[in-house]
């Protein structure tokens, strides 16, 4: 496990706590109390009111109860409603993936004496991951077309358990997942790396563009990914001294407006 993996795991868990109860969302924040590297790695946090009028103890209990119920529902083989949106499902998938590969056991103690700590083992994480994969929402697809997407590479990961990369599209600024089919995984991996994510490299993805019911680009099924190599361009390369054919700027624009140019 890397440092990034460990702390990302903790952050994702607290994100799921925050998403567990829509009514309590953004009313409390979880403040770091302590972190210890003694085995096992342990992080302790406490709820703090986000606003003066928030009854922090009540809301914190509500969030923790909802988190416990959602996790129990996931372990029983179904995706809880509060975790069913694509973004939150992705967070759930990341937590489960780390618990299957790298993290032996995740133990969550809500600080309630009458309740046992929540424990996620690799086997439980594997069963829950199946539930997430099986109960995927099926977006209504309105259009598919072959094309390309230009953007900044921000993530190399999995999307619904499929190898994928995520871009921030250059024109819209939207985050778009690009699924990488098995037939193209080796070829595409040769043209992208983790270093490209760190550098925020610009890439062009070619493949099938899939649009949702809202008309927005939903995802891309990639067949090729190429890094866009930037280069310095000298000022002299952008100028054309013979562009106006000897006319002054004023004379050139006047003739252009009058339609007598050339």
């Amino acid at each position: 496990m890397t440092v990034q993996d460990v702390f990302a795991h903790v952050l994702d868990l607290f994100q799921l706590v925050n998403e567990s109860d829509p009514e309590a969302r953004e009313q409390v924040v979880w403040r770091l109390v302590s972190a210890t590297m003694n085995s096992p790695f342990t992080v302790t946090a406490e709820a703090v009111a986000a606003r003066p009028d928030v009854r922090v103890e009540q809301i914190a209990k509500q969030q923790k109860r909802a988190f416990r119920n959602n996790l129990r529902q996931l372990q029983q083989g179904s995706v809880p409603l509060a975790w069913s949106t694509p973004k939150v499902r992705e967070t759930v998938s990341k937590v489960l993936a780390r618990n299957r590969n790298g993290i032996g056991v995740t133990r969550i103690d809500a600080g309630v004496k009458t309740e046992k700590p929540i424990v996620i083992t690799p086997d439980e994480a594997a069963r829950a991951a199946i539930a997430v994969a099986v109960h995927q929402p099926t977006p209504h697809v309105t259009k598919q077309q072959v094309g390309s997407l230009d953007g900044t590479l921000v993530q190399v990961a999995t999307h619904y358990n499929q190898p994928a990369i995520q871009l921030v599209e250059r024109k819209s600024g939207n985050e778009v997942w690009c699924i990488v089919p098995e037939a193209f995984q080796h070829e595409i991996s040769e043209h992208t790396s983790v270093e490209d994510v760190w550098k925020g490299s610009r890439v062009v993805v070619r493949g099938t563009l899939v649009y949702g019911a809202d008309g927005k680009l939903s995802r891309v099924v990639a067949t090729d990914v190429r890094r866009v190599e930037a280069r310095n361009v000298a000022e002299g390369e952008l100028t054309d001294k013979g562009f106006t054919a000897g006319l002054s700027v004023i004379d050139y624009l006047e003739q252009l407006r009058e339609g007598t140019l050339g």
Side-chain angles (χ1 to χ4, degrees):
M1 298 294 295
T2 65
V3 173
Q4 290 90 335
D5 287 333
V6 173
F7 282 97
H9 193 64
V10 174
L11 290 173
D12 285 343
L13 284 170
F14 277 101
Q15 182 62 32
L16 292 180
V17 172
N18 187 55
E19 297 287 350
S20 289
D21 186 351
E23 294 183 2
R25 187 184 300 138
E26 308 303 336
Q27 296 197 51
V28 299
V29 293
W30 291 88
R31 186 182 69 179
L32 178 65
V33 175
S34 65
T36 174
M37 294 301 296
N38 295 333
S39 185
F41 173 72
T42 304
V43 171
T44 304
E46 66 176 358
V48 178
R51 302 187 308 273
D53 61 331
V54 173
R55 300 174 62 181
V56 64
E57 291 186 8
Q58 179 181 340
I59 297 299
K61 288 180 180 179
Q62 188 175 326
Q63 273 196 340
K64 291 189 290 185
R65 188 184 307 112
F67 174 77
R68 175 182 287 273
N69 292 338
N70 289 342
L71 187 56
R72 184 181 295 115
Q73 184 177 340
L74 188 65
Q75 290 173 322
Q76 291 172 350
S78 61
V79 179
L81 180 61
W83 293 355
S84 61
T85 63
K87 188 173 182 179
V88 182
R89 288 171 69 98
E90 184 66 24
T91 302
V92 173
S93 296
K94 291 177 183 178
V95 168
L96 297 176
R98 296 190 200 96
N99 234 112
R100 300 196 313 272
N101 182 21
I103 295 178
V105 174
T106 298
R107 183 175 182 270
I108 305 164
D109 189 345
V112 180
K113 294 182 179 180
T114 57
E115 297 178 349
K116 293 182 179 179
I118 303 170
V119 177
I120 309 173
T121 65
D123 288 342
E124 288 174 327
R127 288 193 294 271
I130 292 174
V132 174
V134 170
H135 298 93
Q136 288 188 37
T138 303
H140 178 60
V141 176
T142 60
K143 184 177 70 172
Q144 294 186 8
Q145 67 182 43
V146 176
S148 62
L149 180 69
D150 185 345
T152 302
L153 183 64
V154 294
Q155 191 173 174
V156 177
T158 57
H159 184 59
Y160 292 133
N161 296 317
Q162 299 180 75
I165 61 175
Q166 188 181 48
L167 304 185
V168 173
E169 188 180 10
R170 187 167 63 89
K171 291 184 178 180
S172 68
N174 295 332
E175 295 181 349
V176 180
W177 280 104
C178 304
I179 308 300
V180 182
E182 185 175 356
F184 301 100
Q185 288 172 16
H186 177 71
E187 178 184 351
I188 289 177
S189 67
E190 290 185 336
H191 295 97
T192 57
S193 66
V194 175
E195 187 177 359
D196 291 319
V197 177
W198 294 340
K199 292 180 177 180
S201 296
R202 182 180 166 191
V203 297
V204 173
V205 179
R206 291 181 176 83
T208 302
L209 309 183
V210 182
Y211 293 85
D214 57 0
K216 295 181 179 180
L217 182 62
S218 172
R219 64 186 183 278
V220 179
V221 180
T223 57
D224 182 66
V225 177
R226 299 286 173 175
R227 186 188 304 107
V228 177
E229 301 289 352
R231 70 182 185 90
N232 293 323
V233 179
E235 183 179 342
E237 296 182 59
L238 303 176
T239 59
D240 181 0
K241 295 181 179 180
F243 183 79
T244 63
L247 296 173
S248 68
V249 174
I250 295 176
D251 290 339
Y252 180 84
L253 292 176
E254 286 183 353
Q255 291 187 30
L256 180 64
R257 284 193 293 267
E258 293 172 0
T260 58
L261 188 65

